[in-house]
Amino acid sequence: MNVNNSEETEALDELTPPSISFTRNSLLFDENAPTQKANGPLTIWKSTKNTLPAFVTGAWEEGKGDRTPIEHLYNMVFIRIPTVLMAAVYCKNLVEGHGLVLSFGEVPPVIVFGVFAIILR
């Protein structure tokens, strides 16, 4: 009985409005009003999740980010994609023989890849 109750609370609600809505429709008077189960940000998030790999979106589990799609889209656009791009640039520079050099010297690639892995976990 407790398992069904937890599944119900984790499921997206059809009657609750989403946390962010781009329309001004009312749940009482409009058949196409946005709900937690059907809204613009959730549609964008699900299509992005299905298109891009998990290390870019951060959606390692099924249903990850469906409750808070705006927050996960923000994380993907401003944290994960720049990190992946910087990792690609670092790899290119490393292949060309240029590592990461800071004021105290060159940073070993293991440490740099470790930081990338921590950010993208």
Side-chain angles (χ1 to χ4, degrees), residues 11-91:
L12 297 175
D13 192 3
E14 292 183 7
L15 298 176
T16 306
S19 59
I20 295 177
S21 176
F22 299 127
T23 62
R24 297 181 63 170
N25 300 344
S26 169
L27 285 172
L28 296 174
F29 304 111
D30 191 5
E31 292 180 16
N32 296 325
T35 62
Q36 279 186 352
K37 209 169 208 179
N39 60 65
L42 181 61
T43 304
I44 294 169
W45 170 246
K46 284 186 175 183
S47 65
T48 303
K49 214 171 38 168
N50 291 333
T51 306
L52 297 174
F55 70 90
V56 175
T57 62
W60 298 102
E61 300 97 26
E62 184 69 30
K64 173 95 176 187
D66 290 349
R67 277 221 176 265
T68 55
I70 290 289
E71 289 87 349
H72 282 80
L73 285 169
Y74 178 88
N75 181 28
M76 182 186 67
V77 170
F78 293 109
I79 305 297
R80 300 186 77 80
I81 289 177
T83 303
V84 168
L85 292 176
M86 290 311 301
V89 169
Y90 176 73
C91 287

Side-chain angles (χ1 to χ4, degrees), residues 99-114:
L100 178 63
V101 179
L102 298 177
S103 61
F104 56 83
E106 189 168 345
V107 180
V110 173
I111 293 175
V112 176
F113 286 120

